[in-house]
Amino acid sequence: MSILDPQTLLAGMGPWALGGLSLMIFVESGLLFPFLPGDSLLVTAGLLHQSLGLSVAVIALCAFLAAAAGDQVGFFLGHRFGRRWFRPDARVLKTAHLEQAEAFFERHGGKALVLGRFVPVVRTFVPLAAGTSGYPYRKFIVWNLTGALLWAVGMTVLGSLLGGLPFVADHIDLLAVGLVVVSVLPIVVTALRRSRAARAGRTAAATTTRD
């Protein structure tokens, strides 16, 4: 089962679909693994809730609890360990990922915990950035619960509403692919920008050296 195909993933889990979805949301939110299809998984679960034998309310509730619990873990990891686990050349725990989240958190403050929910990769590392920066826990818990509620319930309900459209219902596979592309696009754009900036920096350094 490919994590890039939420429809096949959920169907393949069978009676464990709700537990599997909750686990993946928790891992993406709190265990510093940002490459799971959180958005597309929730929307697809909302689309397929009838065939999965689950109600929209149950999916949304479990996703909300998993997302909120995951961010709690991320916050405490940041508070306890900070930046010590991150390396510039790491495969997952890249320093660049944390720096991106820290910059996002610095711009938006506590609201970043809500806004970051809707941005792949950022939603994984913003709670860590909050913990690392010493953000007050009382404020964190309010923003964390708000963000988890809006994201989990919003994405699931959106999927259920889209499932009522005949075209969408008949082309769920295409929608799932589109959701994955949209989710991954910000990561690709950020990587391309960094690559372009790095090339420009090397070119400028080479020009300065020749001069």
Side-chain angles (χ1 to χ4, degrees):
M1 298 183 294
S2 172
I3 63 172
L4 297 181
D5 184 359
Q7 181 182 2
T8 302
L9 182 63
L10 289 169
M13 290 179 183
W16 304 102
L18 185 61
L21 180 147
S22 301
L23 178 61
M24 293 179 73
I25 295 300
F26 174 80
V27 169
E28 184 190 26
S29 299
L31 298 187
L32 310 184
F33 192 80
F35 306 116
L36 294 175
D39 296 323
S40 56
L41 192 65
L42 288 175
V43 173
T44 304
L47 276 166
L48 301 176
H49 72 276
Q50 291 182 329
S51 62
L52 294 173
L54 300 168
S55 70
V56 174
V58 169
I59 295 172
L61 176 61
C62 290
F64 161 68
L65 293 175
D71 269 17
Q72 291 288 317
V73 172
F75 180 87
F76 285 117
L77 287 176
H79 180 72
R80 177 68 177 82
F81 298 104
R83 303 171 62 89
R84 281 180 280 176
W85 289 348
F86 289 80
R87 297 289 183 275
D89 57 348
R91 289 190 176 184
V92 177
L93 300 183
K94 292 181 179 293
T95 304
H97 290 159
L98 182 58
E99 290 174 346
Q100 179 186 5
E102 288 174 336
F104 193 85
F105 186 77
E106 184 177 348
R107 286 198 304 272
H108 301 289
K111 294 178 183 178
L113 293 162
V114 177
L115 300 174
R117 277 288 180 191
F118 298 87
V119 184
V121 178
V122 170
R123 67 169 156 262
T124 300
F125 294 108
V126 161
L128 189 83
T132 301
S133 68
Y135 189 69
Y137 180 72
R138 290 184 179 180
K139 293 182 179 180
F140 168 80
I141 191 66
V142 173
W143 290 115
N144 174 31
L145 293 176
T146 302
L149 181 67
L150 293 175
W151 179 66
V153 175
M155 292 292 104
T156 306
V157 171
L158 175 63
S160 68
L161 293 176
L162 290 174
L165 302 176
F167 176 83
V168 173
D170 294 336
H171 299 85
I172 294 178
D173 52 344
L174 295 179
L175 179 64
V177 172
L179 288 169
V180 171
V181 171
V182 170
S183 297
V184 173
L185 189 59
I187 303 173
V188 175
V189 171
T190 299
L192 290 175
R193 286 178 176 174
R194 287 201 183 110
S195 178
R196 185 179 301 174
R199 286 199 301 270
R202 288 194 295 269
T203 300
T207 302
T208 301
T209 300
R210 286 196 298 270
D211 294 341

